[in-house]
Amino acid sequence: MSPLSYRPAQSSDVDRLVALENLCFDNDRLSRRSFQRLVKQQHSLILLAEQDQQNEREKRVLGYILILYRSNTSLARLYSLAVDPQARGLGIAAELIHRAEQFAEQHGCAFMRLEVAVDNQPAISLYHRLGYHQIQQLPGYYENDSDGLRMEKSIRQRHRRPVHTRLYMQTTPFTCGPASLLMALHHLDPGRPMTRREELQIWRESTTIFMTAGHGGCSPQGLALSAWRRNLQVEVYLNQTDVPFLDSVRDPEKKAVIELVHEDLSDQLRETDVKMHYQDLAIDQLRDLLQQGAVLICLISTWRLNRNKAPHWVLVTAADERFIYLTDPELEHDPWLTETDYLDVPIEFDEFARMAAFGRRRLRCSLVLRPRDGISANKQ
């Protein structure tokens, strides 16, 4: 048998990739257009396994693996893996995974994740053998309603994700704060349900009415009040004392409304035991708070993730010696991204520091949440 070689795919390989895809899969196939896009874009890698053919100028493609990266994170995802049925049993899949992990590590990633159907036992056995472990069950995950598993592997030693967060995706473009608070409440009290009704209720309580356009977003003061009303102990770290987000609004009438609502929320906060710290929250402090059992809702700018300049609330539940683990409640309109790319995403400290600042004035805000002593967050 001729030796195998491995290399990243190029545009000239698309025809052979399509042929292998059609040979290996009956449905959910990647299209020619998809392959053409994926071989060119920066945040993906298609790695080929090839074999020389006698009397043929072109090598035969026996397998490929597709890896996706999410911008400015340390997470990679194994999106697709295919091996020619006539070449199975030769160790091609394992070698493709091994080489893809090396590429991902060189790309700055610390974790590789994947999704696999529960009835695909050969693949599950392979992943287990290569060091992947199950992190979540996915009921009815696939188009035919079959169940899936989400699996993960640390591809840099000594980095093991310390917690697992249950994801709740915001159901409107303007409820990232309420969705993050729902996840925080559930994380602190796993028996607590996360519902759209409460998501919208929190938004009504905490919105400042207007943002740059459309429906209003939630202010730090409003979210802090909503968390406090749900029996959480709340501290707020805020690096500015001015009305948040006001610079994004030009209309004088809208500005007046925001100022009035902000004043009312601030007055209500003064009647609670919510602690306001008008200072930055250092990374070392953040990590210590997480290790003590707190969870954080942090304001970020989405520019570092998707090149949209918008304020955005996310949940932070863990940190280790190198990474902050961020759960993002907003699913982007990207056909290649799934919930796997938003759950407990590892972000290096320096990158998180750049990400966790919004606007020209570099607004920074973190809500530190804990259950009140002896009181469940499930009681309302």
Side-chain angles (χ1 to χ4, degrees):
M1 178 179 176
S2 301
L4 296 175
S5 59
Y6 298 84
R7 64 170 177 83
Q10 302 173 353
S11 296
S12 58
D13 298 309
V14 167
D15 286 344
R16 293 187 296 159
L17 282 166
V18 171
L20 180 62
E21 185 82 354
N22 293 337
L23 181 64
C24 294
F25 302 112
D26 295 326
N27 47 52
D28 294 327
R29 294 169 174 165
L30 288 168
S31 67
R32 178 182 302 276
R33 185 175 181 181
S34 295
F35 279 120
Q36 289 171 336
R37 175 185 171 187
L38 288 163
V39 296
K40 294 178 181 179
Q41 72 176 18
Q42 183 179 0
H43 299 297
S44 64
L45 166 72
I46 300 178
L47 189 64
L48 301 180
E50 293 182 315
Q51 183 185 50
D52 288 329
Q53 298 184 89
Q54 291 184 351
N55 303 319
E56 295 286 344
R57 295 178 58 187
E58 195 172 68
K59 294 183 178 181
R60 178 186 174 194
V61 174
L62 295 182
Y64 83 83
I65 189 169
L66 167 59
I67 302 299
L68 302 177
Y69 312 108
R70 193 174 180 202
S71 178
N72 291 310
T73 78
S74 297
L75 179 65
R77 180 157 60 93
L78 195 168
Y79 185 89
S80 184
L81 174 64
V83 175
D84 189 316
Q86 296 182 2
R88 289 173 186 170
L90 302 177
I92 294 175
E95 184 64 20
L96 282 169
I97 294 171
H98 173 67
R99 289 173 181 261
E101 290 170 355
Q102 291 180 324
F103 272 96
E105 185 176 3
Q106 293 167 9
H107 194 79
C109 295
F111 296 90
M112 182 84 81
R113 292 185 189 161
L114 59 89
E115 294 123 359
V116 59
V118 294
D119 57 2
N120 191 350
Q121 287 303 316
I124 293 172
S125 297
L126 172 64
Y127 297 138
H128 278 306
R129 191 167 71 249
L130 297 178
Y132 289 80
H133 63 281
Q134 178 182 333
I135 60 173
Q136 190 179 7
Q137 291 186 328
L138 305 170
Y141 182 75
Y142 291 98
E143 289 183 0
N144 61 1
D145 290 328
S146 62
D147 297 342
L149 299 177
R150 181 168 289 135
M151 305 182 76
E152 179 182 85
K153 179 181 178 180
S154 172
I155 55 178
R156 287 185 188 171
Q157 294 303 313
R158 298 180 293 107
H159 291 293
R160 178 66 66 184
R161 182 167 57 88
V163 296
H164 170 60
T165 304
R166 184 178 169 193
L167 185 62
Y168 179 90
M169 285 294 186
Q170 64 192 73
T171 63
T172 77
F174 47 86
T175 50
C176 53
S180 295
L181 179 52
L182 284 179
M183 290 190 287
L185 289 161
H186 180 82
H187 190 84
L188 295 169
D189 181 1
R192 196 183 202 287
M194 297 185 287
T195 66
R196 190 181 193 201
R197 182 173 183 174
E198 188 168 17
E199 174 193 1
L200 297 177
Q201 174 61 39
I202 294 170
W203 173 72
R204 291 197 299 271
E205 296 172 16
S206 56
T207 181
T208 48
I209 307 300
F210 293 110
M211 287 293 291
T212 53
H215 292 284
C218 297
S219 75
Q221 290 78 5
L223 277 179
L225 271 173
S226 292
W228 180 83
R229 288 171 179 150
R230 286 159 178 79
N231 295 315
L232 293 183
Q233 179 184 331
V234 184
E235 294 184 68
V236 180
Y237 286 80
L238 186 62
N239 70 341
Q240 298 172 23
T241 59
D242 297 337
V243 180
F245 310 132
L246 203 61
D247 290 345
S248 303
V249 181
R250 297 181 180 180
D251 188 296
E253 182 66 23
K254 291 183 178 182
K255 283 184 181 247
V257 172
I258 292 176
E259 289 171 336
L260 184 60
V261 174
H262 172 77
E263 181 181 341
D264 178 57
L265 293 173
S266 298
D267 288 344
Q268 292 182 56
L269 272 179
R270 282 189 278 272
E271 298 175 1
T272 72
D273 61 357
V274 172
K275 296 180 181 179
M276 299 292 297
H277 306 282
Y278 290 100
Q279 63 188 63
D280 281 338
L281 179 63
I283 290 292
D284 287 344
Q285 289 178 282
L286 185 154
R287 186 165 50 188
D288 289 344
L289 288 165
L290 292 167
Q291 291 174 348
Q292 294 164 15
V295 298
L296 282 75
I297 297 177
C298 299
L299 182 71
I300 69 168
S301 172
T302 55
W303 176 257
R304 303 293 302 179
L305 294 175
N306 58 23
R307 290 300 187 254
N308 292 324
K309 294 181 179 180
H312 187 53
W313 295 103
V314 297
L315 180 69
V316 175
T317 52
D320 57 24
E321 66 273 18
R322 183 168 184 172
F323 299 106
I324 298 294
Y325 293 86
L326 172 158
T327 296
D328 182 352
E330 183 177 26
L331 188 65
E332 298 171 24
H333 299 292
D334 187 320
W336 310 114
L337 297 179
T338 72
E339 292 183 0
T340 296
D341 301 288
Y342 296 84
L343 180 68
D344 294 322
V345 179
I347 309 286
E348 291 193 354
F349 291 154
D350 289 346
E351 178 59 37
F352 182 79
R354 289 188 288 268
M355 187 181 294
F358 174 72
R360 289 173 294 178
R361 301 187 62 200
R362 311 297 290 167
L363 175 64
R364 296 181 181 273
C365 182
S366 295
L367 277 63
V368 181
L369 308 177
R370 304 180 182 88
R372 293 185 195 168
D373 293 340
I375 300 177
S376 169
N378 197 34
K379 297 178 181 177
Q380 299 186 59

